[in-house]
Amino acid sequence: MLSPNHRLARSALNPARLAAALSALLALAVMPALAGDLDSLREKLSQALGASKAPDSKSPYVVRVATKASGEFEVSAKPRSKAHAVPAATKAETGSCAKGQRQSPIDIRGGIAVDLEPVQFDYGASAFGVIDNGHTVQVNLAPGNAIEVLGRRYELEQFHFHRPSEERIEGRQFDMSAHLVHKDVDGRQAVVAVLLESGSAHPLVQAVWNNLPLERGEETPARVLLNPARLLPADRRYYTYMGSLTTAPCNEGVLWVVMQQPVSLSAAQIDIFARLYPMNARPVQALSGRLIKQSN
């Protein structure tokens, strides 16, 4: 008769039980917090359990486990669907995104209140197209819209959305934000950020949602015109600082203009975006001694 310890040892080497344990452990590797360590975690588990990649398998997620008691069997830990993929905002960052010293977004606090020059918004009704680019919903606009600030004129190229807001004000994060991306003749960039909070429905946002493409990566041209000025708050006071783009390659030297007054959109409109991108906001970055100004 086997002792309880012997029965426990044989049970631990049971292929089905070992396969289930290995699958559960490897499943943890697809969690965002461990996403960057997927390969190293798989290798350590394989070494500990005497496993190797199955030679006849093309998938890096399939390993072959050998045990003294039961021979070999294969275990797959491949994520089940795109729903398990790591959001772009949580993937490991490289290049300027990881090493830059003037990165965005930031938690805007401790700004110096001064008489900032008003931003001149030269926006009008424009043709537009909507694209789901894999990171966000982006609205590409026909040429002709621009801002003038600090003696420079920047042409509006596109605007897109983040959920929740990437920028924070004194620690407060909003439901969403819109970023209007501009560029001047010398290639310098300026981003106007509009904070979005739940409230009444927004007609411009609804016009964008009405033209959402059915396929990711394919732009849908709209049959109506859109005036980006309608996305701006009535109060044009703002915060400003120097930062970066918030997606790769995270180029620095970007002038940020963050509108102080939030704009409302409905909970239903927020939910539509959330079904596509539940979370696509980059975490706040270190201020690193940068100066923040704000309108009186």
Side-chain angles (χ1 to χ4, degrees), residues 37 44 73 108 124 161 186 229 245 288:
D37 298 324
K44 291 178 181 179
F73 57 94
I108 298 173
F161 299 89
D186 298 319
L245 299 179
S288 301

Side-chain angles (χ1 to χ4, degrees), residues 43-184:
E43 182 178 351
K44 291 178 181 179
L45 287 171
S46 299
Q47 292 174 353
L49 295 171
S52 61
K53 180 183 180 297
D56 55 346
S57 174
K58 296 181 180 180
S59 172
Y61 298 97
V62 177
V63 295
R64 177 160 290 166
V65 178
T67 70
K68 293 180 180 179
S70 307
E72 295 183 343
F73 57 94
E74 293 180 1
V75 178
S76 174
K78 186 174 182 179
R80 291 174 292 178
S81 69
K82 290 184 179 179
H84 296 274
V86 180
T90 62
K91 288 182 179 178
E93 296 183 334
T94 59
S96 296
C97 298
K99 300 177 182 178
Q101 298 300 308
R102 299 164 73 82
Q103 291 287 294
S104 296
I106 61 172
D107 183 1
I108 298 173
R109 60 175 71 224
I112 298 175
V114 295
D115 292 327
L116 285 175
E117 169 192 343
V119 178
Q120 301 299 318
F121 290 94
D122 185 12
Y123 290 169
S126 306
F128 72 100
V130 182
I131 184 170
D132 178 348
N133 62 18
H135 302 288
T136 184
V137 172
Q138 178 173 305
V139 178
N140 296 324
L141 293 149
N145 298 287
I147 61 172
E148 291 187 15
V149 59
L150 300 178
R152 289 186 175 275
R153 182 177 177 85
Y154 299 84
E155 297 291 326
L156 177 61
E157 296 183 324
Q158 51 95 349
F159 65 87
H160 59 269
F161 299 89
H162 293 277
R163 182 181 187 273
S165 68
E166 292 195 307
E167 40 286 309
R168 303 187 187 199
I169 309 298
E170 299 289 342
R172 180 187 175 188
Q173 194 169 29
F174 293 77
D175 293 300
M176 289 180 60
S177 62
H179 289 170
L180 296 94
V181 182
H182 306 72
K183 183 180 290 186
D184 73 2

Side-chain angles (χ1 to χ4, degrees), residues 7 24 33 93 134 140 142 148 175 180 184 194 219 245 252 256 261 264 274 290 296:
R7 287 198 298 272
E93 296 183 334
N140 296 324
E148 291 187 15
D175 293 300
L180 296 94
D184 73 2
V194 179
E219 182 173 331
L245 299 179
E252 296 186 342
W256 278 83
Q261 182 184 45
S264 68
R290 281 174 282 176
N296 276 320

